[in-house]
Amino acid sequence: DLNMGRKTNTKVQILYFDDITDMSVVTNIKDKLDKLDIDGIIDAGNVANILSEDESTPFPTISQSERPDVIATALLEGKVCIMVDTSPFVLILPSFFADFINPVVDNYNRNVNVNFLKILRFASFFFTMILPGFYIALVNYNMETIPTSLLVNFAAQNDGVPFPTIIEAIVMVIVCEILRESDLRFPSSYGSAISILGALVLGEAAVSAGIVSPIMIIVIAFTFITSLIFTELEVINAIRYFRFIFLVLAAMYGLYGIALALIYFLIHITSVKSAGKPYYYPIVPFDFTYIKKTLFKVKYLNDTKRSKLLARKNQIKKQVVDA
């Protein structure tokens, strides 16, 4: 137990299994919290900001949950959970990129259905981040990759549009992001209906006025729909950040710009750490044991091992596998 804040004296509890968890993670967290001298801790989000190792990354490195089953599962895997007095949310460290894409409800559904959805989520992640830039690269620089009949159709649709393709894309992406923000601020009973209606009205009006082409509306709409799969706000913000990077580099260099942006994305995400652990785990470093818990789902009774990165001891779970 820790008491943090000169004025608030907020009680903070660090939860972990000492016979499972890598104690270097616990020591790292305790050292950061012990060194802190601050007036008050109001919520678990304040502690999350303190423990965030890299503020330069748009990706979230600490997950929060108010569900007891999520916390219990994380503790059994060797993670550390932090409870803050008066806050309903519990912090989970370390948290990896795969943890934010796969919701906990996957644990309670059939493996075949869940694995299909996991593949769909990862595909949607790259679609929503790359697609607008990929379209701009093809139309502006790499037209030879488009079938002739389709290219003629694109040219006919762009005839009369006064703005370059990159301006069309940026304007429509910004409009969609404004609609998303308004959706978050409106009451849930009619917020989504208003944002969908706004997108339809604005899209139709823009095409009728000749400001944007119909194919651009389709590309941005598909990008916006694929982004709706993700509910974590910081993940959505990270996608938005890299989407603009792909857009700008694609407008400058075509498919070479897409390749450069993808290299930058991979370098960035593999350099991020959460509680001293690599954020892109279990891809980098590769760990098939944790892949079966995140990227794919196996039968519950076949989940007999803990990750070597999270649990330095007691890595074998005692389960009845022949039940």
Side-chain angles (χ1 to χ4, degrees), residues 122-159:
F122 276 94
S124 297
F125 176 82
F126 285 100
F127 274 135
T128 191
M129 188 170 59
I130 295 175
L131 187 59
F134 185 73
Y135 169 72
I136 290 173
L138 292 183
V139 171
N140 290 348
Y141 291 93
N142 304 95
M143 293 178 286
E144 68 278 1
T145 60
I146 305 175
T148 305
S149 59
L150 187 59
L151 183 60
V152 171
N153 192 12
F154 287 173
Q157 292 183 22
N158 284 313
D159 185 34

Side-chain angles (χ1 to χ4, degrees), residues 218-232:
I218 295 173
V219 170
I220 299 302
F222 184 78
T223 302
F224 187 64
I225 290 171
T226 52
S227 69
L228 294 177
I229 292 179
F230 309 102
T231 57
E232 181 69 34

